[in-house]
Amino acid sequence: MKLASRVAKIKPSETLAITAKANALKAEGRDVIGFGAGEPDFDTPANIKAAAIKAIEDGFTKYTPVGGTDELKDAIIAKLKRDNALEYKRSQVVASCGAKHTLYNLAQALFETGDEVIIPAPYWVSYPDIVILAGGQPVIVETKEKDCFKMKPEQLQAAITGRTRAVVINSPSNPTGAAYSPDELKAIADVLIDKDIIAISDDIYEKIIYADFSFANIATVEPKMKERTIVVNGVSKAYAMTGWRIGYAAGPEQIIAAINKIQSQNTSNPASISQKAAVEALNGDQEVVGLMVSEFRKRRDIIVQLLNEVDGIKCLLPEGAFYVFPNVSEIFGRSFQGKKITNSTELIDYLLDEANVATVPGAAFGSDSHIRLSYATSLKNIEEGLKRIKNAIAKLS
Ligand code: PMP
Ligand code: GLU
């Protein structure tokens, strides 16, 4: 059957594919430990669930305005003011069905053939394909491990051409956990300040930060960038709400209006019940966020230590999010039963087959020398999983 050519230009999301594969193996009875899924293993907090139950009982089950209710927009506006010192009007805010949907709509609103979008690598799997689906051209800037996977201002400068439309900044980063300090962001802002380039600030891991500086985004550190910054965020990661599908954007009115127009022709509003839950997440008690982050920090410390004890693996200490992105290139060239492992995909296949451990190949994030593990899983799984990885790597010759 003939399909639109755009389908052949993109890949399925590898993070979701690996999670599905691990879950299918578990359903078959295989004792797989999953480090694939990028979602908190905690349950959605009780106050948030209660708000959703109340929404159902109150009959809040109809269409809402396309870009979300005023109540949700006001909660988003209050959050952006409280946490990020950024002020917006309702017309500058839109809620969508997850931050991925927000980014998709944004790309549809901004990019067309020939437009270049700078994406620092390692990048979250979906950025390049979201840009390609809109007809844009991803321009990948490879960050260095020695720079803790952060894009240097001179690298950004060198990647800019007359066709550059936007740059994606994701701090803390999926997959590396790198977080830009306010000074580092200011240096990036200084490159962009006199150029007609939009900063897309994906702040979805904002709350999950362990660095000795507080989270900032480019519009906060350089107020002159605010009129060309789109802040993208959501409730999935901070409030363990991945299944509820609420994300949002804040930025220039014209861009938000364009997103609304596009959204009115695809999903309409995000689920009314999820909107009520998101209002409670943003306005309610935030203590639970701190509890989750302190648990993630313990797991980070242990997983990094255990990874660095494996022969051939080197892992930096991430400053945020819940991923580690160890360098595994020393393992390449080793063999199992005569079969050589030469890249990250072959390594993760070997780990799944031989160690019953699901991880994601770095190639999916633009770096074949690495693999990604999500430590949004129990300490018990982390310890057992790393024991399995260590044993499986020791079997290679
Ligand atoms: N941005 C990044 C960097 C992510 O890791 C994710 C996780 N899926 C998203 C955006 C989208 O999150 P969601 O659609 O669940 O809001
Ligand atoms: N962001 C998560 C991850 O990277 C969830 C899956 C996805 O949306 O890609 O694993």
Side-chain angles (χ1 to χ4, degrees), residues 138-313:
V139 173
I140 306 300
V141 171
E142 285 183 26
T143 66
K144 298 199 173 68
E145 199 157 354
K146 74 167 176 48
D147 297 330
C148 298
F149 295 116
K150 292 182 213 178
M151 180 170 64
K152 293 281 183 197
E154 43 295 1
Q155 287 183 294
L156 173 60
Q157 181 67 60
I160 292 172
T161 72
R163 307 183 113 181
T164 307
R165 204 60 232 292
V167 54
V168 179
I169 301 167
N170 173 218
S171 168
S173 147
N174 176 4
T176 66
Y180 288 78
S181 70
D183 286 348
E184 287 164 338
L185 275 178
K186 177 73 173 75
I188 297 284
D190 288 344
V191 175
L192 298 174
I193 199 98
D194 57 353
K195 301 185 177 68
D196 186 17
I197 295 175
I198 288 167
I200 300 174
S201 184
D202 180 347
D203 298 356
I204 194 101
Y205 295 102
E206 160 185 22
K207 298 284 178 190
I208 307 168
I209 190 158
Y210 323 106
D212 52 12
F213 50 81
S214 332
F215 171 84
N217 68 30
I218 193 161
T220 306
V221 300
E222 177 47 85
K224 286 193 208 127
M225 278 303 296
K226 185 173 171 238
E227 63 192 39
R228 278 185 287 118
T229 299
I230 291 276
V231 173
V232 175
N233 208 328
V235 295
S236 284
K237 315 288 173 172
Y239 304 99
M241 290 177 70
T242 45
W244 298 76
R245 314 307 302 131
I246 296 287
Y248 57 87
E253 213 164 273
Q254 239 188 322
I255 299 177
I256 299 299
I259 291 178
N260 258 294
K261 190 174 178 183
I262 289 165
Q263 189 160 302
S264 78
Q265 295 294 13
N266 56 64
T267 56
S268 307
N269 60 278
S272 59
I273 298 150
S274 297
Q275 290 190 55
K276 282 283 187 188
V279 168
E280 175 60 23
L282 295 172
N283 287 346
D285 187 356
Q286 302 293 305
E287 197 191 336
V288 62
V289 181
L291 295 175
M292 286 196 262
V293 174
S294 69
E295 190 56 37
F296 280 139
R297 181 194 287 267
K298 278 189 226 151
R299 298 170 180 184
R300 172 198 68 157
D301 292 346
I302 289 186
I303 200 166
V304 169
Q305 185 198 325
L306 294 176
L307 280 164
N308 282 319
E309 285 171 11
V310 180
D311 169 38
I313 296 188

Side-chain angles (χ1 to χ4, degrees), residues 357-392:
V357 164
T359 56
V360 191
F365 307 97
S367 175
D368 202 22
S369 301
H370 299 82
I371 60 173
R372 189 192 82 174
L373 288 83
S374 156
Y375 51 89
T377 187
S378 67
L379 275 177
K380 188 165 157 274
N381 279 345
I382 290 172
E383 280 164 3
E384 172 60 22
L386 267 291
K387 195 156 67 178
R388 293 183 190 183
I389 291 177
K390 194 173 184 179
N391 291 341

